[in-house]
Amino acid sequence: MTTSDWGRVDTDGTVYVKTGDGERAVGQVPDVTADEALSFYTKRYDALALEVDLLHKRVSSALLSPEEATAAIKTVREQVTDANAVGDLAALAARLDELGPVIATQRETRKAEKAQRSTESREAKERLAAEAEKIAGGRDWRGGANRLRELLEQWKQLPRLERAVDDALWKRFSSARSAYTKARKAHFAEQDAKRADAQVVKERLATEAEKIADSTDWGPTAGRYRELMRQWKAAGPAPKGIDDQLWARFRGAQDTFFGARDAANSALDEEFAANATVKEQLLVEAEKLVPVTDLAAAKAAFRDLADRWDAAGKVPRDRIKELEGRMRAVEQAIRKVEDDKWKRTDPEKSARADDMVAKLEAAIAEAEAKLDKARAAGDAKRVRELEDNLEGRRSFLEMAKRASADFS
């Protein structure tokens, strides 16, 4: 009989393994020696021990979920319990028992991690729902749509929550997206309607602009074009491609009219150039009247010059302001001299000045008579009052006489 620390081979070739309850037969290996038979079952144990060791490392390293680890341990434990192998099977069972607390700890850790992920996911979904609602309440029709698509992708990456909570948050998020999409569609539908209305208006304006493009009634037609442009701007944009086409028509008609007007004005300017030369000569004569020394002569000369000025006719547009300004300056200088003279000789003002002088002289004569009486009576206080009064009135009289002299 061959024996070892953990088993033996009986004389009949049966191999036994030692257990806590004694021993049990694990099998026979025919046509081999006892040592070879024992070695065969010992190697089975070694293989089983290696499997237990690998499982121990995988569970300790948390490579398996607690559920997967529990199932694997159960399977290996069954193999160890009924193993047809020779070795310390109790030690292998003990190694498996060591994994129970490890799995329990891992289960608690995973539970806490899951709760943390759930909290983070809920907070993230609440933020996404809140942002979606904010976008839905705004009017950023392009940026908002892009941002909502980004938020949806972020939502898809987040873990699901408890059904009731997840459904409630999704309802908020989805409702916001739906409200935004509905408002966006309504906005662009309204814009399309406005563009369609603008197209009708601008087609009418372009047509009218083309009808009057050949007009030679320069002033009224230019004014009409200004009004058409005001209406064009007020109409708003038409559909993009059509808007460009209508503007090309409208602008082309304007260019035709104003080009013709400018050409006509240029021709007139050439024709009026000789008139400008005549008016420059008249200005030389007119500016010699200033400064005015003889008002009557200056007025007569200016009237003659003004008649000749009108008879000279129109001048080029770019000379009007300059020439008219110089002529107006001479006219204003003569008028100022005339106004100053009128102010000095105004009969009404002269009469008022003379009346003031007469009244002051009468008042002074009366005050002097009172002063003589006060002196004769020896009333010193009254004398001082009358003397002060007379001094003031005599000053006013001097000013009144100077004013009267100005009108004489």
Side-chain angles (χ1 to χ4, degrees):
M1 182 179 68
T2 299
T3 64
S4 70
D5 291 342
W6 298 105
R8 68 182 178 85
V9 182
D10 203 353
T11 55
D12 62 359
T14 300
V15 181
Y16 291 88
V17 64
K18 295 179 181 179
T19 66
D21 298 329
E23 63 178 13
R24 64 178 173 82
V26 295
Q28 290 181 330
V29 182
D31 302 325
V32 298
T33 65
D35 288 339
E36 289 173 334
L38 188 62
S39 176
F40 174 79
Y41 285 102
T42 300
K43 288 178 179 179
R44 278 192 171 184
Y45 174 85
D46 291 340
L48 190 59
L50 178 60
E51 185 174 354
V52 170
D53 187 59
L54 289 175
L55 179 59
H56 199 286
K57 289 178 179 178
R58 292 180 69 195
V59 173
S60 298
S61 301
L63 296 177
L64 300 176
S65 69
E67 291 74 20
E68 292 172 334
T70 300
I73 291 171
K74 180 181 178 182
T75 299
V76 174
R77 186 183 295 279
E78 291 173 352
Q79 294 173 0
V80 169
T81 301
D82 300 323
N84 292 323
V86 175
D88 191 355
L89 296 176
L92 294 183
R95 285 275 287 166
L96 293 175
D97 292 340
E98 291 174 359
L99 296 177
V102 174
I103 293 175
T105 300
Q106 291 177 352
R107 184 174 280 111
E108 289 301 319
T109 299
R110 292 201 174 206
K111 183 178 179 181
E113 291 174 349
K114 182 179 180 180
Q116 178 64 26
R117 287 194 301 272
S118 179
T119 298
E120 292 172 353
S121 179
R122 177 170 182 165
E123 291 174 350
K125 288 187 175 183
E126 286 176 342
R127 286 195 300 271
L128 295 178
E131 184 173 351
E133 289 167 342
K134 183 177 180 180
I135 292 172
R139 291 296 178 269
D140 183 0
W141 304 121
R142 301 193 185 278
N146 294 333
R147 182 55 181 160
L148 282 174
R149 281 192 289 270
E150 293 173 359
L151 296 181
L152 180 59
E153 290 304 313
Q154 293 177 28
W155 186 285
K156 292 178 180 178
Q157 302 304 316
L158 294 172
R160 285 187 60 83
L161 306 170
E162 296 177 10
R163 182 169 182 175
V165 175
D166 205 77
D167 288 350
L169 288 172
W170 172 251
K171 184 176 181 180
R172 283 180 58 192
F173 184 79
S174 179
S175 297
R177 290 176 63 230
S178 298
Y180 174 84
T181 301
K182 182 178 179 181
R184 184 172 182 270
K185 288 180 178 178
H187 167 76
F188 284 113
E190 181 182 357
Q191 291 298 103
D192 289 343
K194 288 182 177 178
R195 288 189 177 93
D197 292 341
Q199 178 181 345
V200 173
V201 172
K202 289 187 172 182
E203 285 176 344
R204 174 179 59 77
L205 295 176
T207 299
E208 182 175 350
E210 290 167 341
K211 286 181 179 179
I212 62 175
D214 297 327
S215 172
T216 56
D217 193 2
W218 308 121
T221 305
R224 183 56 185 164
Y225 269 115
R226 285 192 293 272
E227 174 59 22
L228 293 179
M229 176 60 78
R230 185 195 66 76
Q231 294 180 29
W232 184 280
K233 292 178 179 179
K240 179 59 178 175
I242 296 174
D243 200 62
D244 293 341
Q245 294 172 9
L246 291 173
W247 173 247
R249 288 176 55 194
F250 185 83
R251 186 65 178 174
Q254 278 190 318
D255 291 344
T256 298
F257 169 78
F258 286 107
R261 188 192 68 169
D262 291 344
N265 286 334
S266 296
L268 288 175
D269 286 346
E270 291 180 9
E271 179 184 338
F272 296 155
N275 298 344
T277 301
V278 173
K279 289 193 173 183
E280 284 178 337
Q281 295 170 352
L282 293 174
L283 280 169
V284 172
E285 294 183 49
E287 288 171 345
K288 289 180 180 179
L289 299 176
V290 180
V292 178
T293 55
D294 185 337
L295 179 60
K299 289 173 64 177
F302 187 80
R303 281 194 296 271
D304 177 63
L305 286 169
D307 291 340
R308 290 156 62 194
W309 181 277
D310 292 338
K314 296 181 179 180
V315 299
R317 289 170 300 158
D318 60 349
R319 300 293 309 279
I320 293 175
K321 185 176 181 181
E322 168 210 348
L323 297 175
E324 293 289 347
R326 289 172 61 187
M327 191 65 170
R328 191 177 302 109
V330 174
E331 181 183 13
Q332 290 173 345
I334 295 173
R335 182 173 297 155
K336 183 176 186 306
V337 173
E338 185 177 24
D339 289 345
D340 291 344
K341 181 179 179 182
W342 169 253
K343 290 176 182 178
R344 292 194 305 270
T345 58
D346 185 348
E348 184 177 345
K349 291 182 179 179
S350 177
R352 286 201 300 271
D354 291 343
D355 183 58
M356 178 62 70
V357 169
K359 287 180 178 179
L360 285 171
E361 286 177 341
I364 289 172
E366 183 180 352
E368 286 175 341
K370 292 180 179 179
L371 177 59
D372 290 340
K373 290 181 180 181
R375 286 173 176 165
D379 188 345
K381 180 179 179 182
R382 180 62 173 161
V383 169
R384 284 195 300 273
E385 290 176 354
L386 290 170
E387 286 177 342
D388 292 342
N389 181 274
L390 274 171
E391 183 178 355
R393 292 192 178 189
R394 284 168 181 157
S395 296
F396 282 125
L397 177 61
E398 289 302 318
M399 289 188 289
K401 286 181 177 180
R402 285 196 296 270
S404 178
D406 289 338
F407 291 106
S408 61

